[in-house]
Amino acid sequence: MKSHVKALVVGGGAIGTSIAYHLARAGWDDVMLLERDELTSGSTWHAAGLLPLFNMSYATTHIHKYSVEFYKSLEAETGLNAGFSIVGNLRMAQTDARMDEYMLYASTAETAEVPYEWMTPAQIKDRWPLVRTEDLKGAIYHPTDGYINPADVTMAMAKGARQRGVLIERKWQVDGYEWTGSDWRVTV
Ligand SMILES: Cc1cc2nc3c(=O)[nH]c(=O)nc-3n(C[C@H](O)[C@H](O)[C@H](O)COP(=O)(O)OP(=O)(O)OC[C@H]3O[C@@H](n4cnc5c(N)ncnc54)[C@H](O)[C@@H]3O)c2cc1C
């Protein structure tokens, strides 16, 4: 554990490891991540790992798009399989109001060039025969959505970060940090 660093990342969940990895990839050479317990021991451990490209926010859609491309490349870079599967995502609607909401999603998706398809209840049944479709108005289907194992992708990002020179230390709780004028002084 170093007491002074150029960049300090506190917490070894999906976000912290991603920040550490991307700082290193951007060329930062003195990055340290401190985790008070084990990597992935926070909320990342409990996440379902769904990767819906589709949402109401233009900015978030772009972040999701980047993430999906990044996860595909991470295994090649680190040799760790993060359980990334693109299986598609079917959002069904029982009301016209819900279909209206999906139309709003669709306009965001079009701007961000995220593919989607409209489906009738009969087409839903064709795709997933176990669904009861009598009370459905329709669905929007996102072929590029999927899921990933949150703990595994965190470990892969941690490995990628280490490969790029990031120092990752566990069992250190950060109690404070202070800018000295040239680096961060860390208190544990
Ligand atoms: C049940 C559930 C389902 C979810 N499903 C999804 C989903 O399907 N898709 C999706 O995208 N998101 C999902 N999420 C959300 C996702 O899990 C979180 O947004 C994400 O894991 C947050 O990552 P994080 O790194 O910010 O936090 P965390 O994983 O909580 O990591 C924070 C880390 O910081 C450490 N820490 C805290 N304070 C200190 C300190 N002072 N010093 C050192 N270390 C410290 C903690 O020990 C912890 O390991 C879900 C969450 C839950 C709970």
Side-chain angles (χ1 to χ4, degrees), residues 9-18 33-52 64 71 146-148 150 154 169 171-177 187-188:
V9 180
V10 183
I15 302 301
T17 54
S18 176
L33 183 154
L34 295 183
E35 164 56 47
R36 67 181 168 192
D37 192 1
E38 296 289 347
L39 297 180
T40 79
S41 61
S43 68
T44 296
W45 183 257
H46 306 278
L50 306 179
L51 289 176
H64 285 203
Y71 295 154
Y147 60 86
I148 197 162
T154 301
E169 298 271 5
K171 307 293 181 188
W172 290 102
Q173 172 157 322
V174 176
D175 289 334
Y177 41 84
T187 316
V188 290

Side-chain angles (χ1 to χ4, degrees), residues 17-64:
T17 54
S18 176
I19 289 171
Y21 171 92
H22 284 92
L23 281 175
R25 202 170 83 174
W28 286 55
D29 58 2
D30 185 19
V31 181
M32 177 170 72
L33 183 154
L34 295 183
E35 164 56 47
R36 67 181 168 192
D37 192 1
E38 296 289 347
L39 297 180
T40 79
S41 61
S43 68
T44 296
W45 183 257
H46 306 278
L50 306 179
L51 289 176
L53 267 170
F54 229 61
N55 59 79
M56 303 280 270
S57 154
Y58 184 71
T60 311
T61 299
H62 274 285
I63 293 171
H64 285 203

Side-chain angles (χ1 to χ4, degrees), residues 38 53 57 61 77 80 104 115 117 119 131 140:
E38 296 289 347
L53 267 170
S57 154
T61 299
E77 184 178 336
L80 296 182
L104 192 58
E117 298 164 25
M119 297 180 81
V131 176
I140 188 164

